[in-house]
Amino acid sequence: MAALYKIFILCVGFALSCNLWAQSRDLGCGDLNGIWQEKTPVVNSAFLATYTISADSFWYSVNEYDGLNPIRSFGGTYTIYNDSINLRIQYIKRISYTDICRDQFSSANNQWSILEKGTLITDTLPTPQCFVLPIKMASNTLFIDDIPFYLISDEQY
């Protein structure tokens, strides 16, 4: 009986140490490849905010339901250190010229929206902006700054 108890204790200790090792291991860049959408893994008529991540770069697309935002996305490179991600934003994509209109499909801003009359312009930042955010991963959910993002596509980009 004492031998069985010792084996049980060893097994529980081993299982706990494996679990702690798995939780504390560093995220690798390859672990994040794909499109990560905020709030839900379900894609409806438009994307919510998304991070599209590849081995060495990322871009963030704004919530497509926000019809008043002329900024469409921004991106750059990233690095991961333990439980944080360092985003180095190098460019912003925006609509160059817009008109205001009423849009029955834009519920985010009381049906106000902008017409995308202009062209999509990429503004390269003269000095990249850096942001360090906490990051953790659980199953197919990536938490960036404690906001859940769900893997909706794991294709390489």
Side-chain angles (χ1 to χ4, degrees):
M1 185 66 168
L4 240 80
Y5 182 72
K6 288 179 183 176
I7 292 173
F8 176 74
I9 294 296
L10 284 172
C11 288
V12 168
F14 179 73
L16 287 174
S17 66
C18 287
N19 188 28
L20 287 174
W21 174 81
Q23 289 178 4
S24 66
R25 75 178 184 88
D26 293 345
L27 283 173
C29 293
D31 296 336
L32 304 179
N33 289 345
I35 300 175
W36 300 86
Q37 177 180 259
E38 72 174 343
K39 298 180 184 173
T40 178
V42 178
V43 178
N44 287 312
S45 61
F47 286 122
L48 297 172
T50 59
Y51 281 97
T52 302
I53 300 174
S54 67
D56 59 353
S57 64
F58 81 96
W59 79 80
Y60 177 85
S61 298
V62 300
N63 182 339
E64 291 182 17
Y65 292 106
D66 186 354
L68 290 175
N69 194 347
I71 294 176
R72 293 298 180 232
S73 65
F74 58 83
T77 58
Y78 72 97
T79 52
I80 296 175
Y81 299 105
N82 297 326
D83 58 353
S84 64
I85 185 168
N86 183 350
L87 301 177
R88 190 170 185 256
I89 298 171
Q90 298 167 307
Y91 65 86
I92 296 171
K93 292 190 178 195
R94 63 180 173 82
I95 302 297
S96 65
Y97 168 76
T98 59
D99 280 341
I100 300 292
C101 70
R102 293 291 284 168
D103 182 355
Q104 65 181 349
F105 300 109
S106 178
S107 60
N109 293 305
N110 191 24
Q111 298 184 346
W112 286 104
S113 186
I114 57 173
L115 293 174
E116 297 183 10
K117 287 182 143 183
T119 58
L120 188 63
I121 293 178
T122 301
D123 294 323
T124 301
L125 301 179
T127 303
Q129 292 183 314
C130 295
F131 297 88
V132 178
L133 306 172
I135 188 172
K136 64 182 175 181
M137 192 167 181
S139 185
N140 283 340
T141 307
L142 180 65
F143 293 87
I144 299 177
D145 214 5
D146 292 326
I147 299 170
F149 287 84
Y150 297 90
L151 185 63
I152 58 172
S153 174
D154 60 1
E155 293 182 24
Q156 300 295 314
Y157 296 94

